[in-house]
Amino acid sequence: DPDKDTEWNDILRKKGILPPKENQEEQERAKEDEQLEILQKSLVKTYEDMTLEELEENEDEFNEEDEKAIEMYRQQRLAEMKAAQMKNKFGEVLEISGKDYVQEVTKAGKGIWVVLHLYKQGIPLCALINQHLSGLAKKFRDVKFIKAISTTCIPNYPDKNLPTIFVYLEGDIRAQFIGPLVFGGMNLTRDELEWKISESGAIKTDLEENPRKQIQDQLMSSIRACIPTRGESDSEDD
């Protein structure tokens, strides 16, 4: 055993075959310190891995320093849970009437975006937008999407203004889209509607550019392809 104090080991140390005993003790202390540090880190990791219920169950086993660390983790976990709940608070299009407007729009809450669609049965574009909004509500669960028959919210609201979308933040109107021309008619896609609403700031789209621009560019390319060049036109005249 190289760690024992024997005459033979002393000779080996003098010859440099075994390291000096003092160095061995330092190495052992360093190794113990390293193991202690690993143990402490693993203990902290245990706190991080615990659920709130587990933290409360093991509360009696922690010392004062542990409790301070645990309280920090508890607050962090509560904040994370609250943020997750807010992020997934909605997820579908809510139908309201005029009497619900103040509660659902004006008093929606701090930092809550509201997208309100005024529509009427029997208008195809309104039905299409309701369908698109249903998909967007599932995608952007932190945004409140609501719909209402136009005249239940605004008496005598003209049908020529339908569909209408109002975008609110904390009761203040931030954007409005009024009438069929604004939406481009029945060719409106969900991506186009998503882009349009995202321009108000209500949703954070993952679309890189306006889908309508792509369609317009393709249309212009098709038109150019159908128009003969000057040389071709002169040749035909000859």
Side-chain angles (χ1 to χ4, degrees), residues 57-203:
E57 287 174 6
N58 294 278
E59 204 169 21
D60 296 337
E61 300 178 13
F62 304 133
N63 59 34
E64 187 175 345
E65 289 185 4
D66 292 336
E67 288 175 0
K68 290 179 181 177
I70 290 165
E71 182 59 28
M72 180 182 70
Y73 292 128
R74 183 182 284 115
Q75 294 301 323
Q76 182 180 335
R77 286 188 179 279
L78 286 170
E80 290 171 354
M81 287 171 61
K82 187 174 181 180
Q85 288 171 354
M86 286 298 293
K87 189 174 182 181
N88 296 287
K89 188 172 183 179
F90 305 111
E92 59 184 19
V93 182
L94 176 68
E95 179 91 31
I96 69 166
S97 61
K99 62 183 178 61
D100 306 315
Y101 178 88
V102 172
Q103 183 64 36
E104 300 297 339
V105 177
T106 308
K107 297 181 178 179
K110 187 175 182 181
I112 300 296
W113 286 90
V114 179
V115 177
L116 168 63
H117 177 214
L118 298 182
Y119 76 101
K120 256 193 179 178
Q121 300 287 353
I123 299 179
L125 185 53
C126 288
L128 178 65
I129 287 178
N130 277 335
Q131 181 181 337
H132 290 336
L133 289 179
S134 181
L136 292 177
K138 290 182 175 68
K139 183 176 181 180
F140 302 99
R141 292 177 172 270
D142 56 335
V143 176
K144 179 186 272 190
F145 288 87
I146 56 180
K147 62 183 179 179
I149 294 175
S150 56
T151 49
T152 65
C153 279
I154 306 174
N156 303 316
Y157 193 73
D159 289 355
K160 67 178 182 179
N161 288 348
L162 300 178
T164 293
I165 288 181
F166 293 124
V167 181
Y168 302 86
L169 177 62
E170 298 176 4
D172 295 328
I173 191 164
R174 294 301 181 94
Q176 55 185 6
F177 308 101
I178 300 174
L181 292 178
V182 173
F183 296 100
M186 289 299 294
N187 291 323
L188 177 72
T189 66
R190 197 182 87 174
D191 283 351
E192 289 169 6
L193 184 58
E194 176 178 330
W195 183 270
K196 189 176 291 292
I197 295 173
S198 74
E199 290 180 320
S200 69
I203 58 179

